[in-house]
Amino acid sequence: MTSSFLKSTFTEVWSEEREILNSTSLNKFRTTSDVNQWLMRYFQIEKGLYIPQKSNFGCKVTLNEFERVEKSFKSKKTKVVCINDDFGVEDYDIKMKKLISLFEKKYPKKSSFEI
């Protein structure tokens, strides 16, 4: 699910861990020595800069649970839907077309960064 970050967290951690973050940012693909956003998340937790989200903030589903995908996508209560396209998805092409259709209905206009 999502995690909220403060810009000041990135500034502070980058100043403390410049070498590892610069090294990580130079890699096109992750390596075993790279760090990721969890470093920032745990830093904020340790500093007490963390507010828990409500448990119904979002949901995680897979394409194999397409009925749940549709239900959560159409729900006005669900703010975030994380859809995993696990290996072995049955009728993948059909489900992807349906998913694209859901997005097109919910967001008929492209955002400024898509144009």
Side-chain angles (χ1 to χ4, degrees):
M1 298 309 297
T2 61
S3 295
S4 301
F5 296 106
L6 298 169
K7 186 175 181 180
S8 60
T9 297
F10 283 81
T11 302
E12 187 173 352
V13 172
W14 209 286
S15 70
E16 301 265 336
E17 300 296 337
R18 180 172 308 281
E19 188 177 318
I20 186 68
L21 289 167
N22 282 340
S23 172
T24 294
S25 68
L26 294 174
N27 296 329
K28 188 172 183 177
F29 299 101
R30 282 189 193 158
T31 68
T32 56
S33 62
D34 287 347
V35 295
N36 59 27
Q37 74 276 8
W38 288 89
L39 172 63
M40 308 305 172
R41 182 172 185 260
Y42 288 129
F43 182 84
Q44 286 185 171
I45 290 170
E46 289 295 318
K47 296 277 272 192
L49 303 172
Y50 175 76
I51 300 172
Q53 293 176 344
K54 293 181 180 180
S55 61
N56 65 348
F57 181 78
C59 69
K60 293 182 257 184
V61 293
T62 70
L63 280 179
N64 276 328
E65 307 169 288
F66 200 79
E67 296 76 28
R68 281 189 65 210
V69 172
E70 286 180 304
K71 183 179 177 182
S72 56
F73 198 86
K74 292 176 181 178
S75 170
K76 300 218 186 277
K77 293 179 182 178
T78 305
K79 297 184 187 298
V80 176
V81 179
C82 177
I83 305 169
N84 291 321
D85 57 346
D86 297 339
F87 292 108
V89 173
E90 301 163 10
D91 302 321
Y92 179 84
D93 292 332
I94 294 168
K95 288 177 181 171
M96 285 306 295
K97 285 179 184 176
K98 287 181 180 180
L99 183 61
I100 290 168
S101 177
L102 284 173
F103 274 102
E104 288 172 344
K105 285 178 188 168
K106 184 146 182 132
Y107 305 106
K109 295 180 183 177
K110 290 188 177 196
S111 65
S112 60
F113 65 86
E114 292 178 289
I115 298 174

